[in-house]
Structure formats: structure tokens, C-alpha cells
Amino acid sequence: MTHELTALPLASASSNTTAGGGWWRDAVIYQVYVRSFADSDGDGVGDLRGVRERLPHLARLGVDAVWLTPFYVSPQADGGYDVADYRAVDPLFGDLADADDLVRAAHALGLRVIVDVVPNHTSERHPWFLAALADEPGARGRYLFRPGRGADGAEPPNDWESVFGGPAWARVPDGDWYLHLFAPEQPDLDWENPEVAEEFASVLRFWLDLGVDGFRVDVAHGMVKAPGLPDIGRGAQATLIGTEPLPFFDQDGVHEIHRSWRRLLDSYEGQRIGVAEAWAPTSERLALYVRPDELHQAFNFRFLNCPWDPAAMRTVIDESLAATASVGAPTTWVLSNHDVVRHVTRYGGGPRGLARGRAAALLMLALPGSAYVYQGEELGLPEVSDLPDEARQDPAFHRSAGQEGLRDGCRVPIPWSGQEAPYGFGPSGSWLPQPAGWAELTVAAQTGDPHSTLELYRAALELRRAVPGLGGPESGPLTWQGAPDGVLLFTRPGFACTLNTRAAAVELPAPGRPVLSSAPVETDGRTVRLPPDSCTWWAF
């Protein structure tokens, strides 16, 4: 007997969160990379009006909230993560009225809205930095300006390297150097200056007053640097994650900033939240960002980076759940985002990568806690690896002589309908070229096809709301069960999940009645034959 996309009767369409719990504890949140989601005005770039027009897709998908990447005034040196005005919408994306309309439309559909805030650095075009370059009194104290070392101060102040490659310091005409852990167009702020904290508290209030439901905090682990800015002692390029705290990342001082933001968020009605993009070296260090008086969620990048290996997966899941449980917080699972190679490609690409990607999605959505879905993930989109160099806009690509240009490939605009580019993305072209073979991957082509990745996600999210054993930690613990080599099997109350990571089918006793699978399973009710690279949900 074959079972695929078989849904249980829905008792309720409400969230599984128990009374008194926070909505974020079991929420599924959809990431919109605004430039690449939907273009309403025909300039080839996605915009806020385009997002608003496509919100019904997200409501039908079954997510709880949407996270929008930066849409603020910016020179776009790093896709909007170089902000020149935190309180204004860049004309590329619309205006403040469009932002207000989007928030209202999302709320009308039952969707919450989370926006990015970028507190580690500003744009070099921000009024503060322009004042610093003009050497106005006190202006440089908002950033990390230092004199150079060596003869005539011609050497950088220390040996730190930029995440994007090359030195983390740039020199200004009068001889001083400023720190930029990312691109030179993104000077780091000095969070020991009280003006910086005051300004960002004001920025948060501005958007909270407009009605947003929270913030994804960019580089939440990076705002505080070690006293004295000490050398690392090696010449390697900076990385977002290491085996121990670095002098520029995951310093303990960041937590007092997050505590102050938690107090601000709690002063507003409606359970507004903070989400940490924190690349911590261990699960225990990551859990510090979601202590009861700090932020509400922190992306689990160890899960994202985990190989297709059952032992490694189980270790990451166990350590992650234990660490967050120790502080009373949910774990926040994620497979892809706008900064990494899409997981279908990371898992091998082609048909097998897609099979693994579908299975990994069901695994993630069955785990206790919250989950994030990156746009296009629900369509099974692969990484676009053959973009022409002249089309790429990732500063990491250009600063590393083309060796590290991995982020443009996951940012290609998503396909909505039609047989050729731009596949309904907008009236004309798109800022990054879309592959010729994406017609079968469009939302329109996959809608109604019971074997499509889109319908798999829709069914999974519907079941996640309906099955009492799924959702947040309050809905039931995870218990591992014995299983053959290469198979993960765990149960939650009334629910079981099997993941076969092997390249061959595996037989085992049926743990219940199959209700959803990433590939057709064969069972006689007593035993089951799990397809290779597949995940199946069971009710019992």
C-alpha cells in the first residue's frame, strides 16, 4: 500500500502553543529576501508592494509569520545590509506607506511580520559616518577608529580579517583606520558609546510603533569587541563561527544589549520578539542568547551545517534541545537562508539532493520548537551555480577574486508562473538571471500536484498545526527509538518520525499509520519499506 501526502482530519487550525506560551515557541516563519520575492513595478527588483501582493501564497502555505530582509535606504553595497537610514524605505523597494500597507495586510491574513535590524555596522553613507569622515567633534567615537601601527601608522591596528576577505581595516585620508568586519562600505559601530544604544532603541520603537511583530538581529553576536582589540595571532580570514569566542564575535558583553532590547520589546503589547543571528561556537553558547531575559529565538546554524549523516544529526538535535531546555527556550531550526548554499544543493543536488531536501524539511518540521523556511525552499529550488560574473553582486565574490561568490546563487528571484523567465516574478526581467529550466518549479506548476515539493510543505504545515504531538516543547518531548543503521526514529505523543538516510530502501516494523511522506512508502500495516533518502510521519 502506498501512502503519500495523506492528511489527518483537522481538529483545529489553531497553533499548538499552550495557553500562556509565546506564539514564537512553535511558529513556522517564512524568510522573504525582498529583492528576489516579487517585483511590482517592472524594474527587475522585488519590492514591498510585490511582497504584499504575494502574501496569500504564504497564508495558503500555512506559515505563522514572515521575516523581511532589509528594505531601508541603502547604497546596496551588501544587499541592503549597509543601512544609510534606518527609519526610511529605500525607493528601490517603495516607501513608508508601502511598509505600513504590508504590515496591515499581513495582519489581516493572520501573519505576523518580523523585520531585519542591522546594529553591528552602518553604511559608509550613513550621516554618522559622513560626519566621522569630516572629523566632526565626537563623530568618530560612534565607530571604531584607531591609529595605525608601524612607520607613519601605515599598518592596520591589528591582524583581524574581514568575513568577506582581506583586512578588516580601511584607512581614511588623514591616516586613521576604521574597523569593518564585513565590506569597507560597512563600518562597525562602537557599542560602548551610549549614543549608539540610544539611537537603536529609538529605531526599534519606530518600527514597533508602525506595528511590526519583532526583529531579526543581524550579527547579533558581533556588536561588542574584546577590550583593546587584541590580535588573533593568525592570518586566517575571519569566519562567522569558530570553536571558541573570537575577540570580535560572541563576546559576553553582547548579552546586556539584548537584555535591554528584551525589556523594550516586552513594553509593547502583542508578544513582540527578537531573533538572534548568532554564530556561536557551541549549542551552550548559543542558548545564552535566549535566556528568559534576552531574545526569544536564535537560529540553529549547527543544524543547518550538519551533514547528511544520522549520527551527526542526532548529536546536533540532542545537544541543541538540551541546551535550550536548560534556559527554558525553544530551539529554532533552519535549513537554508540568503547567506548559504540552498540545502537541496548542499545535500548533493540533482534528484538525490532534492529527495534529501524534502526529507530534511519533514525532519525539521517534526522537531520540537520553531522553524524557518527560506523563500523557494518550498519549491525545491536548487542553488544557481552558473551565474555570469558580471551579474553577481555579492561583495564577498568581488573581494575574493571570484572564489567565494556563493551567496548570489541562493538569491536568484523565485519563479511564480509561466514557461520562461522571469516566471511571473515581475513585468519584465530580474536583477539576477533565472535558469531556463525552472518552468516546472513555479508555484503555479506545483500547485495541485500531490507529488510536488510545494504540496508536501503545505501538507506538512497543515498537519503540524493539527497533530497534538507536534509544535513547541509544550506539546511533547522527543524520544529516540531503536532503528536500523542509517535510520533515525523518534516519537512524540501520538506521533512518530522516521528518516532513512541510506541510498537503499530499509525495512522495519511500522511505527504507526503513515500520514505524510517525502516519498511513497510501502506498508502492510505491520512492516514498512522506507524509500531511500526519505522521511515519513506516523500517527499512533
Side-chain angles (χ1 to χ4, degrees), residues 253-304:
V254 300
H255 296 291
E256 187 51 47
I257 300 171
H258 300 320
R259 290 188 186 99
S260 70
W261 286 8
R262 177 60 180 261
R263 292 191 293 270
L264 192 158
L265 290 165
D266 286 348
S267 72
Y268 281 76
E269 295 181 353
Q271 295 189 332
R272 319 293 179 95
I273 72 167
V275 185
E277 185 213 17
W279 294 81
T282 65
S283 296
E284 291 75 19
R285 294 287 302 182
L286 183 65
L288 298 180
Y289 291 82
V290 289
R291 287 177 286 189
D293 61 345
E294 292 197 38
L295 301 178
H296 301 76
Q297 296 180 332
F299 295 128
N300 189 335
F301 294 122
R302 291 190 67 213
F303 182 73
L304 181 153

Side-chain angles (χ1 to χ4, degrees), residues 47-80:
D47 47 52
L48 295 181
R49 188 176 300 174
V51 176
R52 188 192 70 205
E53 292 171 351
R54 294 293 189 178
L55 286 176
H57 167 68
L58 305 186
R60 182 174 181 185
L61 185 62
V63 299
D64 301 291
V66 55
W67 153 32
L68 304 171
T69 55
F71 49 79
Y72 315 113
V73 171
S74 166
Q76 302 296 320
D78 184 25

